[in-house]
mmCIF file of all heavy atoms in Angstrom:
data_model
loop_
_atom_site.group_PDB
_atom_site.id
_atom_site.type_symbol
_atom_site.label_atom_id
_atom_site.label_comp_id
_atom_site.label_asym_id
_atom_site.label_seq_id
_atom_site.Cartn_x
_atom_site.Cartn_y
_atom_site.Cartn_z
ATOM 1 N N GLY A 1 5.076 3.047 -2.832
ATOM 2 C CA GLY A 1 5.024 4.143 -1.871
ATOM 3 C C GLY A 1 4.711 3.668 -0.463
ATOM 4 O O GLY A 1 4.715 2.466 -0.175
ATOM 5 N N GLY A 2 4.435 4.620 0.420
ATOM 6 C CA GLY A 2 4.224 4.344 1.832
ATOM 7 C C GLY A 2 2.784 3.997 2.169
ATOM 8 O O GLY A 2 1.994 3.581 1.309
ATOM 9 N N GLY A 3 2.431 4.179 3.443
ATOM 10 C CA GLY A 3 1.114 3.786 3.915
ATOM 11 C C GLY A 3 -0.021 4.494 3.197
ATOM 12 O O GLY A 3 -1.029 3.874 2.834
ATOM 13 N N GLY A 4 0.115 5.800 2.994
ATOM 14 C CA GLY A 4 -0.915 6.545 2.274
ATOM 15 C C GLY A 4 -1.070 6.067 0.841
ATOM 16 O O GLY A 4 -2.185 6.014 0.310
ATOM 17 N N SER A 5 0.044 5.710 0.228
ATOM 18 C CA SER A 5 0.014 5.206 -1.145
ATOM 19 C C SER A 5 -0.710 3.867 -1.219
ATOM 20 O O SER A 5 -1.450 3.590 -2.171
ATOM 21 C CB SER A 5 1.443 5.049 -1.680
ATOM 22 O OG SER A 5 2.132 6.278 -1.615
ATOM 23 N N GLN A 6 -0.504 3.014 -0.206
ATOM 24 C CA GLN A 6 -1.187 1.720 -0.190
ATOM 25 C C GLN A 6 -2.685 1.905 0.025
ATOM 26 O O GLN A 6 -3.500 1.158 -0.526
ATOM 27 C CB GLN A 6 -0.588 0.814 0.891
ATOM 28 C CG GLN A 6 0.919 0.598 0.777
ATOM 29 C CD GLN A 6 1.365 0.179 -0.610
ATOM 30 O OE1 GLN A 6 0.750 -0.663 -1.253
ATOM 31 N NE2 GLN A 6 2.456 0.784 -1.092
ATOM 32 N N ARG A 7 -3.072 2.913 0.817
ATOM 33 C CA ARG A 7 -4.499 3.200 0.972
ATOM 34 C C ARG A 7 -5.092 3.720 -0.339
ATOM 35 O O ARG A 7 -6.238 3.425 -0.682
ATOM 36 C CB ARG A 7 -4.722 4.194 2.116
ATOM 37 C CG ARG A 7 -4.455 3.591 3.493
ATOM 38 C CD ARG A 7 -4.863 4.511 4.615
ATOM 39 N NE ARG A 7 -3.969 5.662 4.738
ATOM 40 C CZ ARG A 7 -2.838 5.659 5.432
ATOM 41 N NH1 ARG A 7 -2.444 4.550 6.041
ATOM 42 N NH2 ARG A 7 -2.093 6.741 5.511
ATOM 43 N N GLY A 8 -4.295 4.502 -1.069
ATOM 44 C CA GLY A 8 -4.739 4.952 -2.393
ATOM 45 C C GLY A 8 -4.889 3.787 -3.351
ATOM 46 O O GLY A 8 -5.831 3.741 -4.154
ATOM 47 N N ALA A 9 -3.964 2.826 -3.265
ATOM 48 C CA ALA A 9 -4.057 1.628 -4.099
ATOM 49 C C ALA A 9 -5.331 0.857 -3.784
ATOM 50 O O ALA A 9 -6.021 0.357 -4.690
ATOM 51 C CB ALA A 9 -2.829 0.748 -3.879
ATOM 52 N N LEU A 10 -5.662 0.767 -2.491
ATOM 53 C CA LEU A 10 -6.885 0.067 -2.088
ATOM 54 C C LEU A 10 -8.114 0.769 -2.655
ATOM 55 O O LEU A 10 -9.054 0.106 -3.132
ATOM 56 C CB LEU A 10 -6.969 -0.003 -0.566
ATOM 57 C CG LEU A 10 -8.251 -0.597 0.013
ATOM 58 C CD1 LEU A 10 -8.417 -2.051 -0.421
ATOM 59 C CD2 LEU A 10 -8.266 -0.492 1.538
ATOM 60 N N ALA A 11 -8.124 2.088 -2.617
ATOM 61 C CA ALA A 11 -9.274 2.840 -3.139
ATOM 62 C C ALA A 11 -9.485 2.550 -4.623
ATOM 63 O O ALA A 11 -10.624 2.379 -5.079
ATOM 64 C CB ALA A 11 -9.066 4.334 -2.914
ATOM 65 N N LEU A 12 -8.399 2.469 -5.383
ATOM 66 C CA LEU A 12 -8.513 2.161 -6.808
ATOM 67 C C LEU A 12 -8.955 0.721 -7.021
ATOM 68 O O LEU A 12 -9.764 0.422 -7.909
ATOM 69 C CB LEU A 12 -7.181 2.425 -7.512
ATOM 70 C CG LEU A 12 -6.795 3.897 -7.658
ATOM 71 C CD1 LEU A 12 -5.366 4.030 -8.176
ATOM 72 C CD2 LEU A 12 -7.765 4.620 -8.588
ATOM 73 N N HIS A 13 -8.427 -0.181 -6.204
ATOM 74 C CA HIS A 13 -8.835 -1.590 -6.294
ATOM 75 C C HIS A 13 -10.329 -1.730 -6.055
ATOM 76 O O HIS A 13 -11.020 -2.491 -6.767
ATOM 77 C CB HIS A 13 -8.053 -2.407 -5.259
ATOM 78 C CG HIS A 13 -8.578 -3.801 -5.061
ATOM 79 N ND1 HIS A 13 -8.504 -4.779 -6.030
ATOM 80 C CD2 HIS A 13 -9.222 -4.371 -3.994
ATOM 81 C CE1 HIS A 13 -9.065 -5.900 -5.575
ATOM 82 N NE2 HIS A 13 -9.495 -5.670 -4.353
ATOM 83 N N GLN A 14 -10.847 -0.982 -5.081
ATOM 84 C CA GLN A 14 -12.275 -1.050 -4.771
ATOM 85 C C GLN A 14 -13.133 -0.466 -5.888
ATOM 86 O O GLN A 14 -14.328 -0.744 -5.965
ATOM 87 C CB GLN A 14 -12.546 -0.338 -3.449
ATOM 88 C CG GLN A 14 -11.950 -1.061 -2.244
ATOM 89 C CD GLN A 14 -12.008 -0.259 -0.963
ATOM 90 O OE1 GLN A 14 -12.077 0.980 -0.989
ATOM 91 N NE2 GLN A 14 -11.972 -0.948 0.178
ATOM 92 N N ARG A 15 -12.515 0.324 -6.765
ATOM 93 C CA ARG A 15 -13.219 0.868 -7.932
ATOM 94 C C ARG A 15 -13.006 0.005 -9.170
ATOM 95 O O ARG A 15 -13.359 0.408 -10.279
ATOM 96 C CB ARG A 15 -12.783 2.312 -8.193
ATOM 97 C CG ARG A 15 -13.293 3.298 -7.153
ATOM 98 C CD ARG A 15 -12.805 4.711 -7.418
ATOM 99 N NE ARG A 15 -13.374 5.653 -6.460
ATOM 100 C CZ ARG A 15 -14.526 6.275 -6.597
ATOM 101 N NH1 ARG A 15 -15.254 6.064 -7.695
ATOM 102 N NH2 ARG A 15 -14.967 7.111 -5.682
ATOM 103 N N GLY A 16 -12.382 -1.152 -8.962
ATOM 104 C CA GLY A 16 -12.264 -2.104 -10.063
ATOM 105 C C GLY A 16 -10.960 -2.083 -10.826
ATOM 106 O O GLY A 16 -10.820 -2.774 -11.836
ATOM 107 N N VAL A 17 -9.986 -1.307 -10.355
ATOM 108 C CA VAL A 17 -8.698 -1.246 -11.040
ATOM 109 C C VAL A 17 -7.804 -2.390 -10.546
ATOM 110 O O VAL A 17 -7.572 -2.505 -9.342
ATOM 111 C CB VAL A 17 -7.977 0.103 -10.778
ATOM 112 C CG1 VAL A 17 -6.610 0.126 -11.475
ATOM 113 C CG2 VAL A 17 -8.840 1.264 -11.249
ATOM 114 N N PRO A 18 -7.288 -3.237 -11.432
ATOM 115 C CA PRO A 18 -6.303 -4.236 -11.013
ATOM 116 C C PRO A 18 -5.025 -3.536 -10.547
ATOM 117 O O PRO A 18 -4.404 -2.797 -11.318
ATOM 118 C CB PRO A 18 -6.055 -5.059 -12.281
ATOM 119 C CG PRO A 18 -7.274 -4.835 -13.133
ATOM 120 C CD PRO A 18 -7.674 -3.415 -12.843
ATOM 121 N N VAL A 19 -4.664 -3.716 -9.294
ATOM 122 C CA VAL A 19 -3.547 -2.963 -8.728
ATOM 123 C C VAL A 19 -2.778 -3.817 -7.730
ATOM 124 O O VAL A 19 -3.360 -4.633 -7.017
ATOM 125 C CB VAL A 19 -4.058 -1.656 -8.065
ATOM 126 C CG1 VAL A 19 -5.027 -1.953 -6.948
ATOM 127 C CG2 VAL A 19 -2.909 -0.804 -7.553
ATOM 128 N N VAL A 20 -1.465 -3.614 -7.703
ATOM 129 C CA VAL A 20 -0.601 -4.213 -6.685
ATOM 130 C C VAL A 20 0.265 -3.102 -6.102
ATOM 131 O O VAL A 20 0.817 -2.274 -6.843
ATOM 132 C CB VAL A 20 0.287 -5.329 -7.264
ATOM 133 C CG1 VAL A 20 1.349 -5.775 -6.256
ATOM 134 C CG2 VAL A 20 -0.566 -6.530 -7.669
ATOM 135 N N GLY A 21 0.379 -3.069 -4.785
ATOM 136 C CA GLY A 21 1.203 -2.072 -4.109
ATOM 137 C C GLY A 21 2.572 -2.621 -3.768
ATOM 138 O O GLY A 21 2.744 -3.831 -3.569
ATOM 139 N N VAL A 22 3.538 -1.705 -3.707
ATOM 140 C CA VAL A 22 4.902 -2.042 -3.299
ATOM 141 C C VAL A 22 5.302 -1.094 -2.169
ATOM 142 O O VAL A 22 5.232 0.127 -2.341
ATOM 143 C CB VAL A 22 5.904 -1.903 -4.471
ATOM 144 C CG1 VAL A 22 7.308 -2.291 -4.010
ATOM 145 C CG2 VAL A 22 5.481 -2.754 -5.657
ATOM 146 N N PRO A 23 5.716 -1.615 -0.996
ATOM 147 C CA PRO A 23 6.005 -0.746 0.149
ATOM 148 C C PRO A 23 7.370 -0.067 0.044
ATOM 149 O O PRO A 23 8.406 -0.724 -0.017
ATOM 150 C CB PRO A 23 5.982 -1.727 1.332
ATOM 151 C CG PRO A 23 6.426 -3.032 0.739
ATOM 152 C CD PRO A 23 5.885 -3.044 -0.665
ATOM 153 N N ALA A 24 7.362 1.244 0.041
ATOM 154 C CA ALA A 24 8.601 2.027 0.016
ATOM 155 C C ALA A 24 8.453 3.165 1.012
ATOM 156 O O ALA A 24 7.704 4.113 0.776
ATOM 157 C CB ALA A 24 8.880 2.569 -1.390
ATOM 158 N N SER A 25 9.124 3.053 2.149
ATOM 159 C CA SER A 25 9.025 4.068 3.202
ATOM 160 C C SER A 25 10.180 3.892 4.168
ATOM 161 O O SER A 25 10.372 2.805 4.715
ATOM 162 C CB SER A 25 7.701 3.926 3.964
ATOM 163 O OG SER A 25 7.705 4.730 5.124
ATOM 164 N N ILE A 26 10.932 4.964 4.411
ATOM 165 C CA ILE A 26 12.062 4.833 5.325
ATOM 166 C C ILE A 26 11.602 4.686 6.768
ATOM 167 O O ILE A 26 12.383 4.265 7.628
ATOM 168 C CB ILE A 26 13.046 6.015 5.191
ATOM 169 C CG1 ILE A 26 12.421 7.329 5.636
ATOM 170 C CG2 ILE A 26 13.586 6.109 3.772
ATOM 171 C CD1 ILE A 26 13.424 8.484 5.725
ATOM 172 N N ASP A 27 10.331 4.999 7.068
ATOM 173 C CA ASP A 27 9.818 4.831 8.438
ATOM 174 C C ASP A 27 9.614 3.362 8.810
ATOM 175 O O ASP A 27 9.546 3.029 9.995
ATOM 176 C CB ASP A 27 8.491 5.572 8.616
ATOM 177 C CG ASP A 27 8.664 7.079 8.667
ATOM 178 O OD1 ASP A 27 9.792 7.533 8.968
ATOM 179 O OD2 ASP A 27 7.697 7.801 8.392
ATOM 180 N N ASN A 28 9.481 2.512 7.817
ATOM 181 C CA ASN A 28 9.263 1.071 8.015
ATOM 182 C C ASN A 28 8.066 0.791 8.922
ATOM 183 O O ASN A 28 8.118 -0.068 9.797
ATOM 184 C CB ASN A 28 10.512 0.391 8.603
ATOM 185 C CG ASN A 28 10.570 -1.089 8.249
ATOM 186 O OD1 ASN A 28 10.190 -1.491 7.152
ATOM 187 N ND2 ASN A 28 11.039 -1.904 9.171
ATOM 188 N N ASP A 29 6.980 1.499 8.655
ATOM 189 C CA ASP A 29 5.795 1.347 9.494
ATOM 190 C C ASP A 29 4.612 0.738 8.745
ATOM 191 O O ASP A 29 3.472 0.827 9.190
ATOM 192 C CB ASP A 29 5.387 2.697 10.091
ATOM 193 C CG ASP A 29 5.117 3.754 9.025
ATOM 194 O OD1 ASP A 29 5.357 3.486 7.828
ATOM 195 O OD2 ASP A 29 4.673 4.864 9.384
ATOM 196 N N ILE A 30 4.873 0.096 7.610
ATOM 197 C CA ILE A 30 3.805 -0.483 6.798
ATOM 198 C C ILE A 30 3.574 -1.935 7.211
ATOM 199 O O ILE A 30 4.512 -2.742 7.232
ATOM 200 C CB ILE A 30 4.134 -0.398 5.299
ATOM 201 C CG1 ILE A 30 4.332 1.066 4.888
ATOM 202 C CG2 ILE A 30 3.025 -1.029 4.463
ATOM 203 C CD1 ILE A 30 4.755 1.240 3.443
ATOM 204 N N TYR A 31 2.352 -2.255 7.505
ATOM 205 C CA TYR A 31 2.016 -3.617 7.901
ATOM 206 C C TYR A 31 2.164 -4.562 6.706
ATOM 207 O O TYR A 31 1.857 -4.212 5.569
ATOM 208 C CB TYR A 31 0.582 -3.680 8.418
ATOM 209 C CG TYR A 31 0.151 -5.068 8.796
ATOM 210 C CD1 TYR A 31 0.530 -5.623 10.017
ATOM 211 C CD2 TYR A 31 -0.607 -5.849 7.920
ATOM 212 C CE1 TYR A 31 0.160 -6.915 10.364
ATOM 213 C CE2 TYR A 31 -0.979 -7.141 8.264
ATOM 214 C CZ TYR A 31 -0.586 -7.669 9.483
ATOM 215 O OH TYR A 31 -0.947 -8.951 9.818
ATOM 216 N N GLY A 32 2.629 -5.784 6.978
ATOM 217 C CA GLY A 32 2.677 -6.810 5.942
ATOM 218 C C GLY A 32 4.036 -7.056 5.338
ATOM 219 O O GLY A 32 4.179 -7.914 4.473
ATOM 220 N N THR A 33 5.042 -6.321 5.774
ATOM 221 C CA THR A 33 6.394 -6.541 5.272
ATOM 222 C C THR A 33 7.394 -6.356 6.404
ATOM 223 O O THR A 33 7.226 -5.478 7.257
ATOM 224 C CB THR A 33 6.728 -5.599 4.096
ATOM 225 O OG1 THR A 33 8.013 -5.931 3.557
ATOM 226 C CG2 THR A 33 6.733 -4.133 4.525
ATOM 227 N N ASP A 34 8.412 -7.199 6.422
ATOM 228 C CA ASP A 34 9.443 -7.059 7.449
ATOM 229 C C ASP A 34 10.209 -5.755 7.293
ATOM 230 O O ASP A 34 10.616 -5.138 8.283
ATOM 231 C CB ASP A 34 10.436 -8.233 7.372
ATOM 232 C CG ASP A 34 9.808 -9.555 7.758
ATOM 233 O OD1 ASP A 34 8.724 -9.541 8.378
ATOM 234 O OD2 ASP A 34 10.391 -10.604 7.438
ATOM 235 N N ILE A 35 10.416 -5.363 6.051
ATOM 236 C CA ILE A 35 11.187 -4.143 5.785
ATOM 237 C C ILE A 35 10.716 -3.531 4.479
ATOM 238 O O ILE A 35 10.316 -4.239 3.549
ATOM 239 C CB ILE A 35 12.705 -4.438 5.750
ATOM 240 C CG1 ILE A 35 13.524 -3.143 5.773
ATOM 241 C CG2 ILE A 35 13.079 -5.320 4.561
ATOM 242 C CD1 ILE A 35 14.991 -3.363 6.101
#
């Protein structure tokens, strides 16, 4: 998902859940990926 989804992934990671995010957003405004 997009930026909000990555923040949600971070929240779960901070609660101890093993998680990896994948950037999917047509706005292309997510830091850390060219596209």
Side-chain angles (χ1 to χ4, degrees):
S5 303
Q6 304 310 316
R7 290 188 289 274
L10 175 62
L12 289 171
H13 168 68
Q14 292 170 336
R15 289 178 176 272
V17 178
V19 60
V20 170
V22 181
S25 169
I26 66 171
D27 287 339
N28 206 37
D29 57 354
I30 301 176
Y31 178 80
T33 185
D34 293 343
I35 192 165

